[in-house]
Amino acid sequence: MTLNYSIKKTVFLIFGGFTLLLSIIYSALTMMAAYIVEDEVLEKLLTYEVNAINNTYQKDGVIAQPSTAFMTVYDHPQSAPFSIAQAYKNNRLTREIFANDQHYHIQYLNLNENSTHILVAEVSPFLSVSSPSNELVILFLTVFSAAIFISIWLAYRISVKITRPVTNLANEVERQKNQSENIKLTKEEHKNEVKFLAGTIENALNDLNHAVKRESDFNRDVSHELRTPLTVIHNTLSLAKNRSLTPSDIANLLASADQMKHIVTTLLTLARSESFKLVTFKLRPVLEECVLLLYPKLSEQSFYINLDVEETFKVTAHKQQVILLVINLIENALAHSTGNTLLIRLIDHQLSFENDISNPISESKVNSLTEEKVKKINSTGLGHGLYLVRRVIGALNWQFEIKSTNSIFTFCINLENNKN
């Protein structure tokens, strides 16, 4: 099976990409949160110190020095370090100033209305996020790598689990696509939409295989069944080149044309796989009709048909199929019998066709006579007659049995098992 892309690979890439993106986003958010927390802590320290200086000034009128060494009070921004004074001069003084390796946090002291004092904290030694230690970097990279690995592994396992039913179904179809039997897909283990999908694919492929099989069978059926009437028509018309058509010739042509009509109608019914219109009719007149259809051929070979079927016996079936069935069994006896008589008799709903053969047929060979393309050695036929008989009997929901004993070949059809 050649694929442009794998559904498992696609799902894995989607899940893997999604988890990787989430990991990167949450890592970035973590870093931002760390920066914000760091700034908030420093700002709170400065706010605490500003409040303490303001309270001392309001109480004693004295500007107290900060309690920590990294904070300094300046009476004016221009007296502060150069980077702060330059920012003030350019009207760009903010609460944070970055200058080379130094990082300042700044707050104004509200001592009075005219106060320009500022509190400056040089906090670069306390920037754990901006200048993390080697141990912190290693810890972060280790946790981040582990999280990425676990996320990708989980994405792979999820993609395998999600796509396994579909890939298994595709592999089952691939393994069975060329087999002649009905495709059987595993559906019991699925409890979701895959079960419905498997059933739909199974039915569709089996219907397609059956349609192809019916078309193939129809082509062989036509080539097999139409040979006899076409031969009669051809021979009769060949004789007509040297003489005018006799009433017998015309009768043969009409009988052959009628036989072809019956054959085509029946074969089309089989090929379409549609419900058959069932009728109840007497069996003996149908048998007699089949004999009359084959009379020219039987007469030419001096072959006799003995009917031992009571007049009143009736069956419910598709009449054209029964005619096709009987004609094929008579022609089979005509082609393979070593005698000149075929006995058709009915005993307890068992319709049997009996004729002589030179040697008994072994049980193993008897069972294979109705298989496709099976024929006797030196036979000029297509090995299709009894295969068509088996299919017609199956369409009629009847059963059959073949026996070969004491140089008698018997094809027995059980009419009592008609399910209709």
Side-chain angles (χ1 to χ4, degrees):
M1 177 169 55
T2 302
L3 299 175
N4 293 330
Y5 61 91
S6 168
I7 185 173
K8 181 170 68 176
K9 180 179 179 181
T10 303
V11 174
F12 169 68
L13 290 177
I14 292 174
F15 273 98
F18 179 70
T19 53
L20 181 62
L21 179 62
L22 281 183
S23 299
I24 293 174
I25 290 175
Y26 276 104
S27 297
L29 288 175
T30 302
M31 295 297 296
M32 291 176 61
Y35 275 113
I36 292 172
V37 169
E38 184 180 70
D39 284 345
E40 287 289 332
V41 170
L42 293 174
E43 285 296 322
K44 288 184 180 297
L45 287 175
L46 260 72
T47 300
Y48 176 81
E49 198 67 39
V50 165
N51 290 335
I53 293 173
N54 286 337
N55 290 336
T56 301
Y57 182 82
Q58 296 298 330
K59 181 178 180 181
D60 302 329
V62 178
I63 301 175
Q65 291 299 314
S67 59
T68 55
F70 67 90
M71 296 184 186
T72 306
V73 176
Y74 294 96
D75 59 358
H76 195 276
Q78 290 183 341
S79 62
F82 176 78
S83 57
I84 298 176
Q86 191 69 23
Y88 177 79
K89 182 179 179 180
N90 296 331
N91 294 321
R92 294 183 299 184
L93 184 60
T94 60
R95 298 173 68 92
E96 288 187 65
I97 296 295
F98 295 90
N100 298 326
D101 294 334
Q102 294 178 320
H103 184 195
Y104 298 103
H105 275 243
I106 304 167
Q107 283 196 19
Y108 282 89
L109 295 172
N110 298 320
L111 302 177
N112 52 51
E113 295 181 357
N114 298 321
S115 175
T116 57
H117 291 75
I118 60 174
L119 178 63
V120 177
E122 206 289 293
V123 297
S124 54
F126 307 101
L127 300 180
S128 299
V129 178
S130 301
S131 303
S133 62
N134 292 335
E135 292 79 5
L136 184 61
V137 172
I138 293 174
L139 176 63
F140 176 80
L141 292 178
T142 301
V143 173
F144 180 77
S145 300
I148 292 294
F149 174 79
I150 293 173
S151 299
I152 293 178
W153 181 80
L154 287 176
Y156 174 76
R157 297 301 304 172
I158 291 172
S159 66
V160 170
K161 183 175 180 60
I162 290 177
T163 60
R164 182 180 291 117
V166 178
T167 54
N168 288 345
L169 179 60
N171 291 332
E172 275 193 291
V173 173
E174 176 70 16
R175 288 193 301 268
Q176 300 183 47
K177 67 178 183 179
N178 294 322
Q179 71 177 28
S180 58
E181 301 297 328
N182 284 346
I183 291 177
K184 296 292 184 182
L185 300 179
T186 304
K187 301 184 287 293
E188 290 72 14
E189 65 182 34
H190 306 301
K191 305 298 182 182
N192 49 28
E193 291 82 356
V194 177
K195 180 177 182 179
F196 173 78
L197 177 62
T200 302
I201 293 175
E202 180 182 291
N203 293 335
L205 291 178
N206 286 334
D207 288 344
L208 179 60
N209 286 339
H210 293 160
V212 173
K213 186 68 166 57
R214 287 195 301 271
E215 179 184 359
S216 176
D217 287 338
F218 177 76
N219 292 334
R220 286 192 293 268
D221 292 342
V222 168
S223 64
H224 177 269
E225 295 301 313
L226 295 184
R227 286 194 307 165
T228 298
L230 285 175
T231 300
V232 173
I233 293 174
H234 180 269
N235 292 339
T236 303
L237 293 177
S238 297
L239 292 175
K241 294 179 181 179
N242 301 321
R243 59 175 175 80
S244 60
L245 291 175
T246 65
S248 177
D249 294 334
I250 296 175
N252 288 340
L253 290 175
L254 291 175
S256 298
D258 191 40
Q259 183 181 359
M260 290 175 63
K261 178 182 177 181
H262 287 305
I263 290 172
V264 171
T265 300
T266 306
L267 294 183
L268 285 174
T269 304
L270 281 174
R272 290 170 184 164
S273 185
E274 60 190 13
S275 59
F276 307 127
K277 182 179 180 181
L278 304 179
V279 295
T280 300
F281 55 90
K282 292 182 179 180
L283 182 59
R284 184 178 177 92
V286 172
L287 297 174
E288 293 173 348
E289 180 182 351
C290 295
V291 174
L292 290 176
L293 287 172
L294 295 175
Y295 178 74
K297 196 172 183 179
L298 296 172
S299 178
E300 180 182 350
Q301 298 188 29
S302 299
F303 196 84
Y304 301 96
I305 307 293
N306 290 336
L307 289 179
D308 185 9
V309 179
E310 59 187 73
E311 292 281 353
T312 58
F313 183 80
K314 295 181 179 180
V315 294
T316 300
H318 187 273
K319 189 174 181 180
Q320 297 301 328
Q321 287 187 346
V322 175
I323 292 175
L324 181 65
L325 171 63
V326 174
I327 287 176
N328 271 273
L329 288 173
I330 294 176
E331 288 188 330
N332 182 73
L334 186 62
H336 302 293
S337 176
T338 56
N340 63 346
T341 302
L342 171 65
L343 173 60
I344 304 177
R345 61 180 174 179
L346 180 68
I347 302 176
D348 295 331
H349 293 83
Q350 303 286 328
L351 182 65
S352 61
F353 295 73
E354 302 176 10
N355 60 270
D356 296 330
I357 54 176
S358 56
N359 295 306
I361 304 174
S362 64
E363 183 177 352
S364 59
K365 291 184 179 180
V366 163
N367 294 331
S368 66
L369 288 178
T370 57
E371 299 296 327
E372 187 177 4
K373 296 182 180 179
V374 173
K375 60 181 181 177
K376 293 175 61 178
I377 301 175
N378 301 325
S379 172
T380 59
L382 302 176
H384 191 69
L386 290 182
Y387 171 62
L388 176 59
V389 166
R390 187 186 72 177
R391 288 173 45 231
V392 174
I393 291 176
L396 290 168
N397 288 319
W398 288 344
Q399 294 183 353
F400 70 91
E401 181 182 9
I402 301 177
K403 300 178 182 178
S404 176
T405 56
N406 299 324
S407 299
I408 301 294
F409 179 84
T410 304
F411 195 104
C412 184
I413 305 172
N414 189 349
L415 307 180
E416 193 173 22
N417 286 345
N418 191 330
K419 300 177 184 178
N420 295 299

